[in-house]
Amino acid sequence: ALTARADITTASLEKHGFSGCLYKPFSQRDVIDLFSGIIHLDVKPDIIHSGKDSKSESEANGMKMLADFSTLLTFTGNDKVASANILHTFIHETADNLNVLSEASERKDMELIFATAHKMLPLFRLLKSETCVLPLAFLEGERGKSSGLSKSLPMIELALKNVNAVLDEARKYYKENYE
């Protein structure tokens, strides 16, 4: 199965006859891992080539970053203009989504909060930003439930704080690499 929905578990899909699941966004490694488990292949890691060093840019210089921007830029190769454009778009779209999330929180517009979390979640999964994935996935999962603002408020605040931290990191990364 292939899905972007966070509320669907692999176990529930397997009960309905599926052999596994890829959650969007996914990488080449995710596809190979899934199929290797199903048809029992022994795939060597070196057949996957992303054009990057095996050490992610998020761990460059011995510093652990909140997001792995190399996953966002993998397919640009050495094209600095394309990489700069993609990162610039990420920064602006994330800032816009952060503003929507903040304003929706102030207005207690739960449906907009859940919709915005749903919109943001796949990208933060791609970036392997667990600090953002956790609160965004929680908020997405609350859609359609009657738990309301009181249960969601701590996760809204955590999402705002953590997404803002990744946004600051993206701006710094952009400045260091593309200005």
Side-chain angles (χ1 to χ4, degrees), residues 38-108:
I38 294 170
I39 57 177
H40 309 294
L41 292 175
D42 183 22
V43 180
K44 305 288 184 234
D46 61 342
I47 72 161
I48 301 171
H49 180 66
S50 67
K52 299 284 183 186
D53 211 13
S54 62
K55 189 175 186 179
S56 75
E57 288 183 28
S58 71
E59 297 170 1
N61 302 322
M63 198 165 93
K64 181 73 174 142
M65 293 173 62
L66 299 172
D68 183 359
F69 299 113
S70 69
T71 61
L72 186 64
L73 307 173
T74 294
F75 299 105
T76 62
N78 293 327
D79 188 339
K80 281 196 101 150
V81 173
S83 294
N85 286 335
I86 289 171
L87 194 56
H88 184 265
T89 300
F90 167 77
I91 291 167
H92 285 281
E93 290 297 315
T94 301
D96 289 347
N97 287 330
L98 198 58
N99 287 333
V100 168
L101 195 58
S102 180
E103 290 171 9
S105 177
E106 289 172 18
R107 291 191 319 264
K108 299 177 176 57

Coordinates of all heavy atoms in Angstrom, one line a residue, residues 38-108:
I38 N 9.8 -8.3 1.9 CA 8.7 -9.1 1.4 C 9.2 -10.2 0.5 O 8.8 -11.4 0.7 CB 7.8 -8.2 0.5 CG1 7.1 -7.2 1.4 CG2 6.8 -9.0 -0.3 CD1 6.3 -6.1 0.6
I39 N 10.2 -10.0 -0.3 CA 10.7 -11.1 -1.2 C 12.1 -11.6 -0.7 O 12.7 -12.3 -1.4 CB 10.7 -10.6 -2.6 CG1 11.5 -9.4 -2.9 CG2 9.3 -10.5 -3.1 CD1 11.6 -9.0 -4.3
H40 N 12.5 -11.1 0.4 CA 13.7 -11.6 1.1 C 15.0 -11.5 0.2 O 15.7 -12.4 -0.1 CB 13.6 -13.1 1.5 CG 12.3 -13.3 2.3 ND1 12.2 -12.7 3.6 CD2 11.2 -13.9 2.1 CE1 11.0 -13.0 4.0 NE2 10.3 -13.7 3.1
L41 N 15.2 -10.2 -0.2 CA 16.4 -9.9 -1.0 C 17.5 -9.4 0.0 O 17.2 -8.8 1.0 CB 16.1 -8.7 -1.9 CG 15.2 -9.0 -3.1 CD1 15.0 -7.7 -3.9 CD2 15.8 -10.0 -4.0
D42 N 18.7 -9.7 -0.4 CA 19.8 -9.2 0.4 C 20.4 -8.0 -0.5 O 21.3 -8.3 -1.4 CB 20.9 -10.2 0.6 CG 22.0 -9.7 1.5 OD1 21.8 -8.7 2.2 OD2 23.1 -10.4 1.4
V43 N 20.0 -6.8 -0.3 CA 20.4 -5.7 -1.1 C 21.5 -5.0 -0.4 O 21.5 -4.6 0.7 CB 19.2 -4.7 -1.3 CG1 19.7 -3.5 -2.1 CG2 18.0 -5.4 -1.9
K44 N 22.6 -4.8 -1.2 CA 23.8 -4.1 -0.7 C 23.5 -2.6 -0.7 O 22.9 -2.0 -1.6 CB 25.0 -4.4 -1.6 CG 25.3 -5.8 -1.7 CD 25.8 -6.4 -0.5 CE 26.2 -7.9 -0.7 NZ 25.6 -8.8 0.3
P45 N 23.9 -1.9 0.4 CA 23.6 -0.5 0.5 C 24.2 0.4 -0.6 O 23.7 1.4 -1.0 CB 24.3 -0.1 1.8 CG 24.5 -1.3 2.6 CD 24.6 -2.4 1.6
D46 N 25.3 -0.1 -1.3 CA 26.0 0.7 -2.3 C 25.2 0.7 -3.6 O 25.6 1.5 -4.5 CB 27.4 0.2 -2.5 CG 27.5 -1.2 -3.0 OD1 26.5 -2.0 -2.8 OD2 28.5 -1.6 -3.5
I47 N 24.1 0.0 -3.7 CA 23.3 0.1 -5.0 C 22.4 1.4 -5.0 O 21.9 1.7 -6.0 CB 22.5 -1.1 -5.3 CG1 21.3 -1.2 -4.3 CG2 23.3 -2.4 -5.3 CD1 20.2 -2.1 -4.9
I48 N 22.3 1.9 -3.8 CA 21.5 3.2 -3.7 C 22.5 4.3 -3.7 O 23.4 4.4 -2.9 CB 20.7 3.2 -2.4 CG1 19.8 2.0 -2.3 CG2 20.0 4.5 -2.3 CD1 19.1 1.9 -1.0
H49 N 22.3 5.2 -4.7 CA 23.2 6.3 -4.8 C 22.4 7.6 -4.9 O 21.6 7.8 -5.8 CB 24.1 6.2 -6.0 CG 25.1 7.4 -6.2 ND1 26.1 7.6 -5.3 CD2 25.1 8.4 -7.1 CE1 26.7 8.7 -5.6 NE2 26.2 9.2 -6.7
S50 N 22.6 8.5 -3.9 CA 21.9 9.7 -3.9 C 22.7 10.9 -4.3 O 22.3 12.0 -4.4 CB 21.3 10.0 -2.5 OG 22.4 10.3 -1.6
G51 N 24.0 10.6 -4.6 CA 24.9 11.7 -5.0 C 25.5 12.4 -3.8 O 26.2 13.4 -3.9
K52 N 25.2 12.0 -2.6 CA 25.7 12.6 -1.4 C 26.6 11.6 -0.7 O 26.5 10.4 -0.9 CB 24.5 13.0 -0.5 CG 23.5 13.9 -1.1 CD 24.1 15.3 -1.1 CE 23.1 16.3 -1.6 NZ 23.7 17.6 -1.7
D53 N 27.4 12.1 0.2 CA 28.2 11.3 1.1 C 27.2 10.5 2.0 O 26.1 10.9 2.2 CB 29.0 12.3 2.0 CG 30.3 11.7 2.4 OD1 30.7 10.7 1.8 OD2 30.9 12.3 3.3
S54 N 27.7 9.4 2.5 CA 26.8 8.5 3.3 C 26.4 9.2 4.6 O 25.4 9.0 5.2 CB 27.5 7.2 3.6 OG 28.7 7.4 4.3
K55 N 27.3 10.2 5.0 CA 26.9 11.0 6.2 C 26.0 12.1 5.8 O 26.4 12.9 4.9 CB 28.2 11.5 6.9 CG 28.0 12.1 8.2 CD 29.4 12.5 8.8 CE 29.2 13.1 10.2 NZ 30.5 13.4 10.8
S56 N 24.9 12.2 6.4 CA 24.0 13.3 6.0 C 24.5 14.7 6.4 O 25.3 14.8 7.3 CB 22.6 13.1 6.6 OG 22.6 13.4 8.0
E57 N 24.0 15.6 5.6 CA 24.4 17.0 5.9 C 24.0 17.5 7.3 O 24.5 18.4 7.8 CB 23.9 18.0 4.8 CG 24.6 17.8 3.5 CD 24.1 18.7 2.4 OE1 23.6 19.8 2.8 OE2 24.1 18.4 1.3
S58 N 22.9 16.8 7.8 CA 22.4 17.2 9.1 C 23.4 16.8 10.2 O 23.3 17.3 11.3 CB 21.1 16.6 9.4 OG 21.2 15.2 9.6
E59 N 24.4 16.0 9.9 CA 25.4 15.6 10.9 C 26.8 16.2 10.5 O 27.8 15.8 11.1 CB 25.5 14.1 10.9 CG 24.2 13.4 11.4 CD 24.2 11.9 11.3 OE1 25.2 11.4 10.8 OE2 23.2 11.3 11.6
A60 N 26.8 17.1 9.5 CA 28.0 17.7 9.1 C 28.7 18.5 10.3 O 28.0 19.0 11.1 CB 27.8 18.6 7.9
N61 N 30.0 18.5 10.3 CA 30.8 19.2 11.3 C 30.5 18.7 12.7 O 30.6 19.5 13.6 CB 30.5 20.7 11.2 CG 30.9 21.2 9.8 OD1 31.9 20.8 9.2 ND2 30.1 22.1 9.3
G62 N 30.0 17.5 12.8 CA 29.7 16.9 14.2 C 28.6 17.5 14.9 O 28.4 17.4 16.1
M63 N 27.7 18.3 14.2 CA 26.6 19.0 14.8 C 25.3 18.4 14.3 O 25.0 18.3 13.1 CB 26.7 20.5 14.3 CG 25.8 21.4 15.2 SD 26.3 23.1 14.9 CE 25.2 23.5 13.6
K64 N 24.5 17.9 15.2 CA 23.2 17.3 14.8 C 22.2 18.4 14.6 O 22.0 19.3 15.5 CB 22.7 16.4 16.0 CG 21.4 15.7 15.7 CD 21.5 14.6 14.6 CE 20.2 13.9 14.5 NZ 19.9 13.5 13.2
M65 N 21.6 18.4 13.4 CA 20.6 19.5 13.1 C 19.2 18.9 13.3 O 19.0 17.7 13.4 CB 20.8 19.9 11.7 CG 22.1 20.7 11.5 SD 22.5 21.1 9.8 CE 21.2 22.2 9.3
L66 N 18.2 19.8 13.4 CA 16.8 19.4 13.6 C 16.2 18.8 12.4 O 15.1 18.2 12.4 CB 16.0 20.6 14.1 CG 16.5 21.2 15.4 CD1 15.8 22.5 15.7 CD2 16.3 20.2 16.6
A67 N 16.8 19.1 11.2 CA 16.2 18.6 9.9 C 17.4 18.2 9.0 O 18.4 18.9 9.0 CB 15.3 19.7 9.3
D68 N 17.1 17.3 8.1 CA 18.1 16.8 7.2 C 17.8 17.4 5.8 O 17.0 16.9 5.0 CB 18.1 15.3 7.1 CG 19.2 14.8 6.2 OD1 20.0 15.6 5.6 OD2 19.3 13.5 6.1
F69 N 18.3 18.6 5.5 CA 18.0 19.3 4.3 C 18.5 18.6 3.1 O 18.0 18.9 2.0 CB 18.4 20.8 4.4 CG 17.8 21.5 5.5 CD1 18.6 22.0 6.6 CD2 16.5 21.8 5.5 CE1 18.0 22.7 7.6 CE2 15.8 22.5 6.5 CZ 16.6 22.9 7.6
S70 N 19.5 17.7 3.2 CA 20.0 17.0 2.1 C 18.9 16.1 1.5 O 18.9 15.9 0.2 CB 21.2 16.2 2.5 OG 20.8 15.1 3.3
T71 N 18.0 15.7 2.2 CA 16.9 14.9 1.7 C 16.0 15.7 0.8 O 15.4 15.2 -0.2 CB 16.0 14.2 2.8 OG1 15.4 15.2 3.6 CG2 16.8 13.2 3.6
L72 N 15.9 16.9 1.1 CA 15.1 17.9 0.3 C 15.8 18.2 -1.0 O 15.1 18.5 -2.1 CB 14.8 19.1 1.1 CG 13.9 20.2 0.5 CD1 12.4 19.6 0.4 CD2 13.8 21.4 1.4
L73 N 17.1 18.2 -1.0 CA 17.9 18.7 -2.1 C 18.6 17.5 -2.9 O 19.3 17.8 -3.9 CB 19.0 19.6 -1.6 CG 18.5 20.8 -0.8 CD1 19.6 21.6 -0.2 CD2 17.5 21.7 -1.6
T74 N 18.3 16.3 -2.6 CA 18.9 15.1 -3.2 C 18.9 15.1 -4.7 O 19.9 14.9 -5.3 CB 18.3 13.8 -2.7 OG1 18.5 13.7 -1.3 CG2 18.8 12.6 -3.4
F75 N 17.8 15.5 -5.3 CA 17.7 15.3 -6.7 C 18.1 16.5 -7.5 O 18.0 16.5 -8.7 CB 16.2 15.0 -7.1 CG 15.8 13.7 -6.5 CD1 14.9 13.6 -5.4 CD2 16.3 12.5 -6.9 CE1 14.6 12.4 -4.8 CE2 15.9 11.3 -6.4 CZ 15.1 11.2 -5.3
T76 N 18.7 17.5 -6.9 CA 19.2 18.6 -7.6 C 20.7 18.4 -8.0 O 21.2 19.2 -8.8 CB 19.2 19.9 -6.7 OG1 20.0 19.7 -5.5 CG2 17.8 20.3 -6.3
G77 N 21.3 17.4 -7.5 CA 22.7 17.1 -7.8 C 23.6 18.2 -7.4 O 23.5 18.7 -6.2
N78 N 24.4 18.7 -8.3 CA 25.3 19.8 -8.0 C 24.7 21.2 -8.4 O 25.5 22.1 -8.5 CB 26.7 19.6 -8.6 CG 27.3 18.4 -7.9 OD1 27.2 18.2 -6.7 ND2 28.1 17.7 -8.7
D79 N 23.5 21.2 -8.7 CA 22.9 22.5 -9.3 C 22.5 23.4 -8.1 O 21.5 23.3 -7.5 CB 21.6 22.1 -10.1 CG 21.0 23.4 -10.8 OD1 21.3 24.5 -10.4 OD2 20.3 23.1 -11.7
K80 N 23.4 24.3 -7.8 CA 23.3 25.2 -6.7 C 22.0 26.2 -6.8 O 21.4 26.5 -5.9 CB 24.5 26.1 -6.5 CG 25.6 25.3 -5.7 CD 26.7 26.3 -5.2 CE 26.4 26.5 -3.8 NZ 27.4 26.8 -2.9
V81 N 21.7 26.5 -8.0 CA 20.6 27.4 -8.3 C 19.3 26.7 -7.9 O 18.4 27.2 -7.2 CB 20.5 27.9 -9.7 CG1 19.3 28.7 -10.0 CG2 21.8 28.8 -10.0
A82 N 19.2 25.4 -8.4 CA 18.0 24.6 -8.1 C 17.9 24.4 -6.6 O 16.8 24.5 -6.0 CB 18.0 23.3 -8.9
S83 N 19.0 24.0 -6.0 CA 19.0 23.8 -4.5 C 18.6 25.0 -3.8 O 17.8 25.0 -2.8 CB 20.4 23.4 -4.1 OG 20.7 22.1 -4.6
A84 N 19.1 26.2 -4.2 CA 18.7 27.5 -3.5 C 17.3 27.7 -3.7 O 16.6 28.2 -2.7 CB 19.6 28.6 -4.1
N85 N 16.7 27.5 -4.9 CA 15.3 27.8 -5.1 C 14.4 26.9 -4.3 O 13.4 27.3 -3.7 CB 15.0 27.6 -6.6 CG 15.5 28.7 -7.5 OD1 15.7 29.8 -7.0 ND2 15.7 28.5 -8.7
I86 N 14.8 25.6 -4.2 CA 14.0 24.6 -3.4 C 14.0 25.0 -1.9 O 13.0 25.1 -1.3 CB 14.5 23.2 -3.6 CG1 14.1 22.7 -5.0 CG2 13.9 22.3 -2.5 CD1 14.8 21.4 -5.4
L87 N 15.2 25.3 -1.4 CA 15.3 25.7 0.0 C 14.6 27.0 0.3 O 13.9 27.2 1.3 CB 16.7 25.8 0.4 CG 17.0 25.8 1.9 CD1 16.3 24.7 2.7 CD2 18.5 25.9 2.2
H88 N 14.7 28.0 -0.7 CA 14.0 29.3 -0.5 C 12.5 29.1 -0.5 O 11.8 29.6 0.3 CB 14.4 30.2 -1.7 CG 13.8 31.5 -1.7 ND1 12.6 31.9 -2.3 CD2 14.2 32.6 -1.0 CE1 12.3 33.1 -2.1 NE2 13.3 33.6 -1.3
T89 N 12.0 28.2 -1.4 CA 10.5 27.9 -1.4 C 10.1 27.2 -0.1 O 9.1 27.5 0.5 CB 10.2 27.0 -2.6 OG1 10.5 27.6 -3.8 CG2 8.7 26.6 -2.6
F90 N 10.9 26.3 0.4 CA 10.6 25.6 1.7 C 10.5 26.7 2.8 O 9.6 26.6 3.6 CB 11.7 24.6 2.0 CG 11.6 24.1 3.5 CD1 10.7 23.2 3.9 CD2 12.5 24.6 4.4 CE1 10.6 22.8 5.2 CE2 12.4 24.2 5.8 CZ 11.4 23.3 6.1
I91 N 11.5 27.6 2.9 CA 11.5 28.6 3.9 C 10.2 29.4 3.9 O 9.5 29.7 4.9 CB 12.8 29.5 3.8 CG1 14.0 28.6 4.2 CG2 12.6 30.7 4.7 CD1 15.3 29.3 3.9
H92 N 9.9 29.9 2.7 CA 8.7 30.8 2.5 C 7.4 30.0 2.8 O 6.5 30.6 3.5 CB 8.7 31.5 1.2 CG 9.7 32.6 1.2 ND1 9.4 33.8 1.7 CD2 11.0 32.7 0.7 CE1 10.5 34.6 1.6 NE2 11.4 33.9 1.0
E93 N 7.2 28.8 2.3 CA 6.0 28.1 2.5 C 5.9 27.7 3.9 O 4.8 27.7 4.5 CB 6.0 26.8 1.6 CG 5.8 27.1 0.1 CD 4.5 27.8 -0.2 OE1 3.5 27.3 0.3 OE2 4.5 28.7 -1.0
T94 N 7.0 27.3 4.6 CA 6.9 26.9 6.0 C 6.6 28.1 6.8 O 5.8 28.0 7.8 CB 8.2 26.2 6.4 OG1 8.5 25.1 5.6 CG2 8.2 25.8 7.9
A95 N 7.1 29.3 6.5 CA 6.8 30.5 7.3 C 5.3 30.8 7.1 O 4.6 31.1 8.1 CB 7.7 31.6 6.8
D96 N 4.8 30.7 5.9 CA 3.4 30.9 5.7 C 2.5 29.9 6.5 O 1.5 30.3 7.1 CB 3.0 30.8 4.2 CG 3.6 32.0 3.4 OD1 4.0 33.0 4.0 OD2 3.6 31.8 2.1
N97 N 2.9 28.6 6.4 CA 2.1 27.6 7.2 C 2.2 27.8 8.7 O 1.2 27.6 9.4 CB 2.6 26.2 6.8 CG 2.2 25.8 5.4 OD1 1.2 26.2 4.9 ND2 3.0 25.0 4.8
L98 N 3.4 28.3 9.1 CA 3.5 28.6 10.6 C 2.6 29.7 11.0 O 2.0 29.6 12.0 CB 5.0 28.9 10.8 CG 5.5 28.9 12.3 CD1 5.3 27.5 12.9 CD2 7.0 29.2 12.3
N99 N 2.5 30.7 10.1 CA 1.6 31.8 10.4 C 0.1 31.4 10.4 O -0.6 31.8 11.3 CB 1.8 33.0 9.4 CG 3.0 33.7 9.6 OD1 3.6 33.8 10.7 ND2 3.6 34.3 8.5
V100 N -0.2 30.5 9.5 CA -1.6 30.0 9.4 C -1.9 29.2 10.7 O -2.9 29.3 11.3 CB -1.8 29.1 8.2 CG1 -3.1 28.3 8.3 CG2 -1.8 30.0 6.9
L101 N -0.9 28.4 11.1 CA -1.1 27.5 12.3 C -1.2 28.4 13.5 O -2.1 28.2 14.4 CB 0.1 26.6 12.4 CG 0.0 25.4 13.4 CD1 -1.2 24.5 13.0 CD2 1.3 24.6 13.4
S102 N -0.4 29.4 13.6 CA -0.5 30.3 14.8 C -1.8 31.1 14.8 O -2.4 31.2 15.9 CB 0.7 31.3 14.7 OG 0.7 32.2 15.8
E103 N -2.2 31.6 13.7 CA -3.5 32.4 13.7 C -4.7 31.5 13.9 O -5.6 31.9 14.6 CB -3.6 33.1 12.3 CG -2.6 34.3 12.2 CD -2.6 34.8 10.8 OE1 -3.5 34.5 9.9 OE2 -1.7 35.7 10.5
A104 N -4.6 30.3 13.4 CA -5.7 29.3 13.6 C -5.8 28.9 15.1 O -6.9 28.8 15.7 CB -5.5 28.1 12.8
S105 N -4.6 28.8 15.7 CA -4.6 28.5 17.2 C -5.2 29.7 18.0 O -6.0 29.4 18.9 CB -3.2 28.3 17.6 OG -3.1 28.1 19.0
E106 N -4.9 30.9 17.6 CA -5.5 32.1 18.3 C -7.0 32.1 18.2 O -7.7 32.5 19.1 CB -4.8 33.4 17.8 CG -3.4 33.5 18.2 CD -2.7 34.7 17.6 OE1 -3.4 35.6 17.0 OE2 -1.5 34.8 17.6
R107 N -7.5 31.7 17.0 CA -8.9 31.8 16.7 C -9.6 30.5 17.2 O -10.8 30.4 17.0 CB -9.2 32.0 15.2 CG -8.8 33.3 14.7 CD -9.3 33.6 13.3 NE -9.2 32.5 12.4 CZ -8.2 32.2 11.5 NH1 -7.2 33.1 11.4 NH2 -8.2 31.2 10.7
K108 N -8.8 29.5 17.6 CA -9.3 28.2 18.0 C -10.0 27.5 16.9 O -11.0 26.8 17.1 CB -10.3 28.3 19.2 CG -9.6 28.9 20.5 CD -10.5 29.1 21.6 CE -9.9 29.5 22.9 NZ -9.1 30.7 22.9

